[in-house]
Amino acid sequence: MKKTKRRLRRSKLVLRRAASTAAFAEATRYLPGGVNSPVRAFGGVGQEPIFIARASGSKIYDIDGNVYIDYVGSWGPMILGHSHPAAVKAVRDAASKGATFGAPTLAETALAKKICDAFPSIERVRLVSSGTEAVMTAIRLARAYTRRDLIIKMAGCYHGHGDSLLVAAGSGAAECAVPSSAGVPSAVANLTVVIPYNDIGAAKKAFRIHKGKIAAVLTEPVAANMGVVPPADGFLRSLRDLCDAERAVLIFDEVITGFRVAFGGAQELYGVKADITCLGKIIGGGLPLAAVGGQSRIMDMLAPAGPVYQAGTLSGNPIATAAANATLDILAGGGCYGKLESRSAMLAEGLKEAAREANVPVVINRVGSLLSCFFTGRPVRNFEDVKSTNIRRFKVFFAEMLKRGIYIAPSAYEAMFVSLAHSKRDIEKTVEAGRAGFNVWRTAFSG
Ligand code: PMP
C-alpha cells in the first residue's frame, strides 16, 4: 500500500481544495455527514467533497475556482446541460407569477399530456416531488390493485429510500456500513423478495415459492444504480410475460432511463410496456418533480378518484412544472437522441481504446448516454459481478480524473451521464484524461 501511495504521488497534479475543505468542515457541524444526500460526501472514493459554486453547459465550477467537465449532471436530470437558456427563462417566468398555489394549473395538465404521449403505457399520471415518492406510490397502487403484499426487487437496483425498498439497494445504500438501512423494521423488509438482476429463473422461482402473494415485480429496466448494467436479451420481455401469467403488476422504475435512453424511455428502446412507470430526474429539468403513471384501471385507484391515498403540498409545483415542460419540449424537438448516442459512443470507444493501450482491464457498459467503466476483465451482468470489480482501482481512477478536470460520480456504483451540452472537444479531453488516469493506475498497481 505504501509503495502504491508513493507511486501515485508521481502524478504531480494537485487540485486547489482549501475552500472546499473549510466548507466541508463547517457543513459537518450542522448537517449529518456534512451533506444532504450520502453519495455527495465522496466517502466511496475516500475523499472529501468539492463544493459547487455554479454550472453552465457541460461545465461545473467549484468554490476553489476549479472547472470540471461534468458527467454527474446532478445524478441524471441535466440532460440539456446546465442552465439551458430556455429552461432558465421558463423558471424565471414561472417564479415571477408565484411559487406555489396548492391549486390546479394549466401547466400540470400540459405536462401530464406530454408524458402520456411519450409513453404509450401511461394513460394517467400523478405528479409528485421525488423519485422516492413515485416508487412508494407505485407499490401502494400495485398492492391495492392486486390485493397482495409482496414485491419482487432486483439486488443492486435503487428505488429511493422508502422502507421496503432499502433492501439490497444500489447507489449510496450500496456503500452504507449497514447494507440496507438501520431503522427498517424486518416486518416491512420481509415484504420484499430480492432476486438477482437479469435472472429470469430466479423470478420464476420466487413466484413459485410465493404463489398468489406477489403484487409486483419492480425493476430499473436498465440498472443504473450499481453502475450501468443493461438488461440481457429478452429479460424485460420475460418479466412482462411472467407478470401477465401470474396476474402481477410490472413496475418499471424509469427515474433514470425515462427520457434518457430514448424519449419514451427503456420501454421504447426495448419494446416492452410496464403496467406502472416511475419517472423523475429529467422530467423535473433539475427541479424537484417526479411522476408515477400507468393504465387508467390502475391509476384511477388513486385518491380522489379511488381509495389509494397519496398527496403532496408541492406536487405539480408551478416552477418545477415550467422547467419540466421546457425540458421535454426541447427533447421532443428532434435530433437530441442521435446526438447523445454519437457523443456517448465516442466517449465509450475512446475510453476503451485508452484502457487497451494502457493494458488495463476495463469493461464499459453503455446504454445510450448512460455508461460505466468497471475495473474488471469479465462481463458485468448483475450486482455480484459489480461487487467483484476492483473498487480500489476505481478510486485511483476517480482521483486522477478529478485532478484533470473531469467530474465523474464519486462512487463505483453510479453511472456517467452524457448531456447534449457535451461537445466533441469535451469528449476528447475526457478520453485524454482517462488515458492519463489509466496510465497512472498501471504504474501504481503493476509490479
Ligand atoms: N429510482 C431510481 C432508479 C433512482 O435512480 C432514484 C434516485 N437516484 C430514485 C428512484 C429516487 O429518486 P429521488 O432521489 O428523486 O427520491
Side-chain angles (χ1 to χ4, degrees):
M1 187 59 200
K2 266 189 190 153
K3 198 168 157 194
T4 303
K5 272 194 180 150
R6 242 192 342 264
R7 281 177 171 166
L8 286 178
R9 267 188 227 121
R10 278 191 211 144
S11 135
K12 292 240 172 55
L13 292 170
V14 182
L15 206 61
R16 283 188 306 275
R17 290 188 95 132
S20 277
T21 303
F24 189 53
E26 178 76 350
T28 49
R29 292 180 59 194
Y30 303 106
L31 303 168
V35 291
N36 282 309
S37 196
V39 275
R40 294 180 198 171
F42 276 40
V45 287
Q47 296 196 23
E48 289 188 351
I50 51 170
F51 276 57
I52 305 304
R54 68 189 177 89
S56 172
S58 62
K59 309 285 186 331
I60 195 155
Y61 302 80
D62 74 13
I63 60 172
D64 282 285
N66 301 301
V67 52
Y68 310 89
I69 301 171
D70 177 26
Y71 291 98
V72 178
S74 191
W75 308 93
M78 306 316 293
I79 194 165
L80 305 181
H82 294 281
S83 312
H84 187 287
V88 171
K89 180 176 183 316
V91 166
R92 277 214 179 103
D93 290 352
S96 70
K97 292 180 189 152
T100 174
F101 318 123
T105 60
L106 295 175
E108 289 164 80
T109 313
L111 177 59
K113 182 172 181 322
K114 282 174 198 158
I115 294 171
C116 293
D117 288 348
F119 286 77
S121 68
I122 301 183
E123 292 170 346
R124 299 239 211 288
V125 63
R126 166 72 42 101
L127 302 181
V128 295
S129 300
S130 70
T132 297
E133 277 181 81
V135 183
M136 279 167 50
T137 305
I139 61 174
R140 189 174 303 144
L141 272 168
R143 284 174 168 149
Y145 182 73
T146 57
R147 296 169 191 258
R148 301 172 183 173
D149 287 343
L150 301 186
I151 306 289
I152 294 183
K153 101 171 258 295
M154 319 279 159
C157 285
Y158 178 70
H159 303 288
H161 56 91
D163 275 354
S164 62
L165 301 174
L166 275 180
V167 183
S171 190
E175 282 170 351
C176 261
V178 189
S180 17
S181 170
V184 174
S186 52
V188 175
N190 289 343
L191 297 175
T192 307
V193 178
V194 180
I195 63 167
Y197 187 72
N198 271 334
D199 188 343
I200 195 65
K204 286 183 180 158
K205 188 170 165 200
F207 271 104
R208 267 200 311 276
I209 294 172
H210 304 285
K211 189 79 194 154
K213 294 188 181 149
I214 305 232
V217 173
L218 165 65
T219 191
E220 297 177 66
V222 176
N225 280 290
M226 47 175 149
V228 175
V229 181
D233 278 353
F235 177 61
L236 300 177
R237 166 60 48 202
S238 303
L239 285 180
R240 173 70 279 170
D241 294 344
L242 190 56
C243 285
D244 288 343
E246 301 287 345
R247 300 158 70 89
V249 171
L250 179 61
I251 306 173
F252 279 173
D253 180 348
E254 297 228 39
V255 165
I256 284 184
T257 53
F259 299 102
R260 161 76 54 188
V261 297
F263 192 65
Q267 298 180 51
E268 178 183 321
L269 191 64
Y270 296 101
V272 177
K273 285 186 189 169
D275 297 308
I276 304 180
T277 301
C278 303
L279 296 164
K281 301 203 188 254
I282 286 174
I283 56 162
L287 276 85
L289 191 144
V292 53
Q295 294 144 14
S296 36
R297 69 192 154 91
I298 301 177
M299 293 305 295
D300 285 348
M301 294 191 75
L302 272 184
V308 176
Y309 197 70
Q310 189 283 332
T313 302
L314 295 180
S315 293
N317 168 267
I319 304 174
T321 310
N325 276 312
T327 301
L328 296 196
D329 286 349
I330 293 166
L331 291 176
C336 294
Y337 292 90
K339 183 173 172 190
L340 284 168
E341 173 64 26
S342 66
R343 294 285 146 85
S344 309
M346 185 180 163
L347 177 60
E349 289 314 310
L351 288 175
K352 252 186 227 167
E353 183 59 30
R356 207 169 18 245
E357 281 166 21
N359 209 14
V360 171
V362 302
V363 166
I364 298 196
N365 281 356
R366 180 177 78 85
V367 178
S369 54
L370 283 175
L371 64 137
S372 279
C373 186
F374 293 107
F375 287 87
T376 176
R378 291 196 303 243
V380 180
R381 288 165 301 209
N382 58 36
F383 199 31
E384 286 307 307
D385 293 340
V386 172
K387 285 193 288 188
S388 74
T389 66
N390 195 320
I391 305 292
R392 196 158 66 96
R393 290 172 183 181
F394 173 82
K395 290 181 189 178
V396 173
F397 183 70
F398 170 83
E400 293 303 317
M401 293 297 264
L402 195 69
K403 282 192 272 182
R404 288 171 174 78
I406 312 295
Y407 186 55
I408 61 174
S411 161
Y413 298 110
E414 307 285 352
M416 284 171 81
F417 297 92
V418 177
S419 79
L420 288 161
H422 285 102
S423 65
K424 284 191 179 153
R425 186 72 200 112
D426 287 335
I427 305 285
E428 282 162 8
K429 279 190 191 161
T430 308
V431 171
E432 274 323 300
R435 191 184 312 281
F438 291 135
N439 278 320
V440 169
W441 180 90
R442 188 186 51 182
T443 323
F445 288 95
S446 62

